[in-house]
C-alpha cells in the first residue's frame, strides 16, 4: 500500500469518475486504474462498483476512503512539521478565494503581501466554496477565504469581516434616489442572480426568498435571470434588464453618479455576509495565517466591518495598519 494509491482512491471517490480523477491527479487513466486494482487485490476488497461511466463507492470502500483521507492529512502534517525550524513566512502560500470575493479583495491583498511579506508569494485559486473545501482537505490549498454559512468542515476558522449587501439598479430606475430599500420591495422587481453553485446566490435568496420561486426550472425564467459572474450581471443591470444585489466591497463609491448604475443600501435589518479564513487544523504555519489575516484587515475595503484580530508581532507595521483600519470601521 502506498500513499499514491490512497491519493488515487480518494480522488475517484470525490470525482465518481476514473477519467476525471486521473486528470485531477495528473496521471493517465490506465495508471490510476491499475494502481487502484492493485490496492483492491492487496486488501481483498472491492472499493468501487463500476458500471459504465458511473462509479459508486461500496459501503466498506466508504470506510477505507475516510481513513485514507485522514492518513493523507496526517502525511501533510508531517511535511509541515519538518518545516517548523524554518521561517514560516518563507515560501509560497496556496490561497483559495470564492468568486464573489476575489475580484474586490485580491488586488489590495496581494499588494499588501508583496509590500510586507515579499518572501511569501501567494499562489491563488478562485473557485466555488465546495471545491475550495475539497482542495483544502486534499492538501492542495493551505487556506481559503469564503463566506458563511459553510458545510461541516472540521477546520480552523478566523472571521475577517462582515459585509453588507446593496441593491444595484439602472440610473433611470424610479428608486434610484431612494435613501434605502427593503427586501420586501424587491419582490415586485425583475432580479438578476448568479447561477447555481455560487454561495452568494444562496445568501441573496435567503434575503429575498420570493425570488427562489422564479429561479426554479419548473417556472422557467419568468422573473429572474441568472449570470455567470457579478460583473456580467452588473452590465446587464446597466442595460436596463433588471436589478441585482451586490456585496458592498464590489461598490467602491455608493454615491458615484458618473456611470449607468445607481446603488441603494438596504434598510435595517441590513442583510450581510460574514467572510472568514479557513485552514486545516494540521497546518503548522500559523504565522503565515496571521500574516494573511493582518493583510486583509489592512485592505480597507469599502463599507465592510473588519473583525478584531489577535495580532502577533511578526509584522508590526502591517499589524498597526490593520488595527487602525479595524478601529476605523
Amino acid at each position: 500500500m502506498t500513499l499514491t494509491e490512497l491519493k488515487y482512491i480518494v480522488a475517484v471517490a470525490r470525482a465518481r469518475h476514473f477519467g476525471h480523477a486521473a486528470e485531477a491527479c495528473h496521471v493517465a487513466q490506465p495508471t490510476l486504474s491499475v494502481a487502484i486494482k492493485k490496492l483492491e487485490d492487496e486488501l481483498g476488497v472491492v472499493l468501487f462498483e463500476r458500471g459504465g461511466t458511473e462509479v459508486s463507492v461500496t459501503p466498506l470502500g466508504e470506510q477505507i476512503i475516510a481513513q485514507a483521507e485522514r492518513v493523507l492529512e496526517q502525511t501533510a502534517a508531517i511535511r509541515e512539521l519538518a518545516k517548523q525550524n524554518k521561517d514560516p513566512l518563507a515560501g509560497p502560500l496556496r490561497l483559495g478565494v470564492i468568486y464573489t470575493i476575489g475580484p474586490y479583495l485580491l488586488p489590495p491583498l496581494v499588494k499588501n503581501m508583496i509590500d510586507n511579506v515579499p518572501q511569501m508569494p501567494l499562489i491563488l485559486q478562485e473557485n466555488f466554496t465546495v471545491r475550495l473545501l475539497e482542495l483544502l482537505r486534499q492538501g492542495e490549498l493551505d487556506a481559503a477565504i469564503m463566506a458563511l454559512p459553510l458545510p461541516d468542515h472540521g477546520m480552523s476558522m478566523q472571521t475577517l469581516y462582515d459585509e453588507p449587501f446593496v441593491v444595484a439598479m439602472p440610473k433611470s430606475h424610479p428608486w434610484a434616489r431612494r435613501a434605502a430599500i427593503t427586501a420586501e420591495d424587491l419582490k415586485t422587481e425583475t432580479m438578476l442572480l448568479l447561477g447555481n453553485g455560487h454561495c452568494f446566490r444562496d445568501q441573496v435568496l435567503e434575503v429575498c426568498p420570493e425570488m427562489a420561486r422564479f429561479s426554479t426550472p419548473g417556472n422557467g425564467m419568468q422573473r429572474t435571470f441568472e449570470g455567470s459572474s457579478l460583473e456580467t450581471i452588473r452590465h446587464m443591470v446597466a442595460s436596463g434588464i433588471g436589478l441585482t444585489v451586490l456585496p458592498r466591497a464590489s461598490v467602491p463609491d455608493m454615491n458615484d453618479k458618473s456611470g449607468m448604475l445607481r446603488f441603494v443600501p438596504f434598510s435595517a435589518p441590513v442583510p450581510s455576509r460574514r467572510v472568514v479564513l479557513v485552514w486545516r487544523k494540521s497546518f503548522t504555519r500559523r504565522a503565515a495565517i496571521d500574516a494573511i489575516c493582518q493583510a486583509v484587515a489592512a485592505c480597507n475595503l469599502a463599507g465592510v466591518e473588519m473583525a478584531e484580530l489577535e495580532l502577533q508581532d511578526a509584522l508590526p507595521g502591517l499589524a498597526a495598519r490593520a488595527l487602525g483600519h479595524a478601529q476605523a470601521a
Side-chain angles (χ1 to χ4, degrees):
M1 185 186 306
T2 67
L3 292 175
T4 298
E5 291 167 351
L6 297 184
K7 181 180 178 182
Y8 289 169
I9 65 173
V10 169
V12 172
R14 295 189 188 283
R16 292 294 196 271
H17 190 283
F18 278 82
H20 295 163
E23 291 177 7
C25 294
H26 307 291
V27 297
Q29 182 174 335
T31 300
L32 179 138
S33 298
V34 168
I36 291 177
K37 184 64 169 64
K38 174 178 172 293
L39 180 60
E40 288 180 322
D41 291 344
E42 177 183 344
L43 297 176
V45 300
V46 176
L47 300 174
F48 302 104
E49 295 178 358
R50 302 155 174 88
T53 58
E54 186 69 24
V55 176
S56 59
V57 184
T58 65
L60 180 57
E62 293 278 5
Q63 299 178 49
I64 291 174
I65 288 162
Q67 184 63 38
E69 290 177 327
R70 290 191 285 271
V71 170
L72 292 173
E73 181 175 339
Q74 290 303 312
T75 302
I78 291 172
R79 293 193 181 97
E80 292 298 332
L81 285 171
K83 300 176 183 177
Q84 278 189 337
N85 291 330
K86 301 178 182 179
D87 181 2
L89 296 177
L93 183 85
R94 299 166 298 176
L95 180 67
V97 187
I98 59 174
Y99 291 116
T100 57
I101 292 177
Y104 318 110
L105 174 62
L106 288 181
L109 174 61
V110 171
K111 184 178 187 304
N112 282 344
M113 294 298 291
I114 291 174
D115 290 344
N116 294 278
V117 201
Q119 73 274 30
M120 192 178 78
L122 296 180
I123 300 175
L124 301 170
Q125 178 169 158
E126 288 184 280
N127 217 312
F128 296 110
T129 297
V130 172
R131 180 57 180 154
L132 292 178
L133 287 173
E134 286 182 1
L135 293 172
L136 279 171
R137 293 190 190 100
Q138 295 167 7
E140 299 296 321
L141 287 176
D142 299 319
I145 297 174
M146 50 190 75
L148 299 181
L150 297 174
D152 184 34
H153 52 81
M155 298 190 187
S156 297
M157 184 172 67
Q158 168 66 53
T159 299
L160 297 175
Y161 57 86
D162 292 318
E163 180 177 28
F165 300 159
V166 300
V167 181
M169 63 193 67
K171 66 178 183 179
S172 58
H173 196 279
W175 294 352
R177 295 186 178 181
R178 288 180 59 169
I181 289 174
T182 68
E184 189 77 12
D185 292 334
L186 299 181
K187 291 182 179 180
T188 63
E189 294 294 310
T190 298
M191 299 299 298
L192 282 70
L193 301 176
L194 287 170
N196 286 318
H198 290 275
C199 62
F200 186 69
R201 167 199 171 90
D202 299 330
Q203 293 157 5
V204 172
L205 289 178
E206 285 183 13
V207 175
C208 308
E210 181 71 9
M211 286 188 238
R213 182 164 65 89
F214 299 108
S215 61
T216 57
N219 289 287
M221 302 303 294
Q222 305 151 317
R223 287 276 312 287
T224 302
F225 298 87
E226 298 183 359
S228 60
S229 73
L230 288 179
E231 293 309 305
T232 298
I233 288 177
R234 193 190 296 255
H235 287 293
M236 293 172 69
V237 171
S239 70
I241 295 176
L243 279 63
T244 195
V245 176
L246 297 174
R248 178 64 177 84
S250 70
V251 185
D253 183 3
M254 288 285 288
N255 298 314
D256 182 17
K257 299 295 191 293
S258 62
M260 301 296 292
L261 293 175
R262 296 294 181 268
F263 305 100
V264 181
F266 279 96
S267 56
V270 179
S272 65
R273 65 177 178 181
R274 173 157 291 183
V275 176
V276 298
L277 181 69
V278 179
W279 66 94
R280 292 184 306 282
K281 291 180 179 178
S282 60
F283 186 63
T284 59
R285 294 173 63 189
R286 179 59 204 227
I289 296 297
D290 290 339
I292 290 291
C293 293
Q294 293 173 22
V296 170
C299 285
N300 199 23
L301 294 175
V304 309
E305 182 179 351
M306 289 293 177
E308 292 187 9
L309 303 174
E310 294 182 4
L311 301 174
Q312 297 185 356
D313 296 329
L315 301 170
L318 185 58
R321 288 169 51 207
L323 182 59
H325 287 151
Q327 291 173 339

